[in-house]
C-alpha cells in the first residue's frame, strides 16, 4: 500500500442542462494528524473536495474525531453563494488496533442524507469478510433526474480483494431488504487490479459476473500515480436501470491534479505531505 495511491473518481448527475451533481471517491492515504497539521496538504484536500457535491473520503485515521469538523471550518468559513457542506461519518472500522473511517461530505443545498447504516458482516460461513464493512448511505436529491441513490463504499485489504468485492452483492441484497431503493453506486478503492485481482479471479466475483452490475472503470485504466504501475485499483459500479440508462456515452475523462496543483511525485509520497490519488474518472448523467 505504501507504493500505491488511490484514485479520485467523479460522477456527474445532471440537475438541468447547465449544471451537474458531482459525486467523488477519494482515498486520502493515512488521513490522520500529520496531514491535518500540514497546511499545504489540507489546502490541496480542500481544493479537491470543492470540486465535488458529494465526496467519499477513505482511510481516515482520526481517533479524536477532529478531521471532519476541521474540514467543515475550512469549507464553510468563507462560503460563497450560501454553499455549505455537511458530513456523515462511519464509526472506526477495522480489525485489532488498526482502524479507518469512511466519510461523506456533501453540499446541503443540493443533496441530503435520507438514511444510513453500517453493514453487519455476520453471514453464516463467511463471517468477517470485510476489513472495513461498508457504511451505506441513501442520498436524496430533488434537483436531479435520479431523485435518490444509495452509495456503498469499499476500501479493501489488497490480499482479500477478490472475496471483499464479491461480498458486495450480499451488501446489495441486505440494502434491498431494508430499503425500497432502486439506484446504487458502488465505489472506492477496491484494489481491483494487477496481482490483487488477477484475470482468472474475475469469474469468482459475482459483482462482475452478474450483468446487472455495470462497471464503469475498465480493467485497462490506470488509477495509480506511480509511473511503473498501471492498475485499475479504483472502481465505480452501478446497479439500477434508471441510473444506468442515464449515463452519457463516452463521458469519462482523466483529471491529473498532481499536474494541476503542481505537485511533484516525491512531494506526494512524503508521509508528512499529501499522499493522495492523482487522477479521476468523470462520467455524466443525462437530463
Amino acid at each position: 500500500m505504501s507504493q500505491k495511491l488511490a484514485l479520485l473518481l467523479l460522477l456527474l448527475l445532471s440537475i438541468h442542462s447547465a449544471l451537474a451533481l458531482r459525486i467523488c471517491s477519494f482515498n486520502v492515504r493515512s488521513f490522520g494528524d500529520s496531514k491535518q497539521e500540514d497546511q499545504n496538504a489540507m489546502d490541496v484536500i480542500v481544493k479537491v473536495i470543492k470540486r465535488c457535491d458529494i465526496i467519499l473520503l477513505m482511510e481516515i485515521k482520526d481517533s479524536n474525531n477532529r478531521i471532519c469538523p476541521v474540514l467543515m471550518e475550512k469549507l464553510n468559513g468563507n462560503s460563497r453563494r450560501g454553499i455549505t457542506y455537511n458530513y456523515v461519518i462511519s464509526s472506526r472500522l477495522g480489525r485489532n488496533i488498526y482502524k479507518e473511517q469512511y466519510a461523506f461530505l456533501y453540499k446541503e443545498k443540493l443533496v441530503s442524507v435520507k438514511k444510513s447504516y453500517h453493514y453487519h458482516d455476520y453471514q453464516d460461513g463467511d463471517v468477517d469478510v470485510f476489513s472495513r464493512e461498508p457504511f451505506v448511505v441513501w442520498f436524496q436529491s430533488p434537483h436531479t433526474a435520479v431523485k435518490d441513490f444509495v452509495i456503498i463504499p469499499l476500501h479493501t485489504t489488497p490480499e482479500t480483494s477478490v472475496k471483499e468485492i464479491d461480498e458486495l452483492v450480499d451488501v446489495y441484497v441486505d440494502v434491498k431488504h431494508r430499503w425500497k431503493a432502486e439506484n446504487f453506486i458502488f465505489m472506492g478503492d477496491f484494489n481491483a487490479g494487477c496481482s490483487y485481482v488477477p484475470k482468472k479471479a474475475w469469474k469468482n466475483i459475482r459483482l462482475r459476473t452478474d450483468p446487472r452490475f455495470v462497471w464503469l472503470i475498465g480493467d485497462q485504466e490506470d488509477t495509480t500515480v506511480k509511473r511503473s504501475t498501471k492498475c485499475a485499483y479504483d472502481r465505480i459500479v452501478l446497479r439500477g436501470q434508471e441510473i444506468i440508462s442515464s449515463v452519457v456515452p463516452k463521458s469519462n475523462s482523466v483529471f491529473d491534479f498532481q499536474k494541476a496543483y503542481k505537485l511533484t511525485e516525491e512531494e506526494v509520497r512524503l508521509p508528512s505531505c499529501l499522499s493522495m490519488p492523482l487522477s479521476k474518472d468523470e462520467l455524466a448523467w443525462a437530463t
Side-chain angles (χ1 to χ4, degrees):
M1 292 293 289
S2 62
Q3 296 299 315
K4 183 184 77 68
L5 298 179
L7 174 72
L8 170 66
L9 303 174
L10 174 65
L11 298 179
L12 299 182
L13 296 176
S14 71
I15 297 174
H16 53 70
S17 58
L19 298 176
L21 181 67
R22 295 174 173 85
I23 304 176
C24 310
S25 172
F26 187 15
N27 185 337
V28 188
R29 189 165 67 90
S30 297
F31 194 5
D33 291 340
S34 61
K35 281 192 176 66
Q36 183 183 325
E37 295 168 2
D38 186 326
Q39 190 59 51
N40 291 332
M42 290 296 283
D43 286 347
V44 174
I45 292 169
V46 168
K47 284 182 183 178
V48 172
I49 293 172
K50 285 184 175 180
R51 296 181 63 88
C52 311
D53 300 314
I54 302 174
I55 186 166
L56 160 66
L57 298 183
M58 292 170 286
E59 215 167 310
I60 296 174
K61 300 167 67 175
D62 178 22
S63 59
N64 296 316
N65 294 316
R66 282 293 302 152
I67 283 177
C68 282
V70 168
L71 287 173
M72 291 299 103
E73 291 174 7
K74 291 181 177 293
L75 290 164
N76 298 332
N78 297 307
S79 177
R80 293 180 297 176
R81 300 189 301 275
I83 297 174
T84 58
Y85 282 83
N86 204 341
Y87 73 95
V88 58
I89 190 167
S90 74
S91 59
R92 300 179 70 232
L93 304 168
R95 302 187 179 108
N96 302 317
I97 61 173
Y98 181 82
K99 305 289 184 181
E100 293 181 12
Q101 288 172 285
Y102 300 108
F104 289 94
L105 282 61
Y106 59 92
K107 291 180 180 176
E108 292 182 300
K109 191 174 182 178
L110 298 179
V111 298
S112 60
V113 173
K114 192 172 183 178
K115 294 182 180 180
S116 67
Y117 80 100
H118 288 87
Y119 175 73
H120 298 292
D121 194 7
Y122 51 66
Q123 287 72 21
D124 292 338
D126 61 359
V127 176
D128 198 24
V129 169
F130 292 112
S131 301
R132 293 160 285 272
E133 292 83 356
F135 177 54
V136 184
V137 180
W138 193 1
F139 287 96
Q140 55 188 7
S141 177
H143 306 292
T144 57
V146 180
K147 299 301 182 186
D148 62 85
F149 46 90
V150 174
I151 302 182
I152 300 175
L154 181 62
H155 178 207
T156 71
T157 292
E159 293 75 19
T160 58
S161 293
V162 172
K163 185 60 178 173
E164 291 193 47
I165 300 168
D166 174 72
E167 191 83 359
L168 284 174
V169 174
D170 294 328
V171 180
Y172 168 79
V173 172
D174 189 68
V175 177
K176 289 288 288 182
H177 177 73
R178 292 168 179 264
W179 300 337
K180 293 182 179 180
E182 299 296 333
N183 300 303
F184 291 81
I185 303 170
F186 304 81
M187 64 194 313
D189 183 359
F190 291 5
N191 287 294
C194 293
S195 61
Y196 300 145
V197 183
K199 290 182 180 180
K200 64 181 181 181
W202 287 112
K203 67 180 184 296
N204 299 318
I205 298 176
R206 290 170 291 161
L207 197 77
R208 183 61 168 265
T209 58
D210 186 337
R212 293 172 294 182
F213 295 97
V214 176
W215 290 59
L216 300 182
I217 308 300
D219 295 343
Q220 303 307 311
E221 297 289 337
D222 183 13
T223 71
T224 67
V225 63
K226 191 178 178 183
R227 294 179 181 177
S228 60
T229 302
K230 185 177 181 180
C231 303
Y233 288 131
D234 303 82
R235 302 298 184 110
I236 302 172
V237 181
L238 304 181
R239 175 72 185 258
Q241 192 54 47
E242 183 182 27
I243 202 166
I244 292 170
S245 63
S246 298
V247 176
V248 175
K250 299 180 181 179
S251 60
N252 16 334
S253 62
V254 176
F255 171 68
D256 186 339
F257 63 82
Q258 178 187 20
K259 181 178 179 180
Y261 302 149
K262 298 180 180 179
L263 302 171
T264 68
E265 192 170 338
E266 185 61 29
E267 283 176 329
V268 174
R269 287 179 178 173
L270 290 174
S272 62
C273 197
L274 189 63
S275 263
M276 62 164 65
L278 298 182
S279 63
K280 72 169 186 276
D281 288 80
E282 179 173 308
L283 302 114
W285 261 254
T287 321

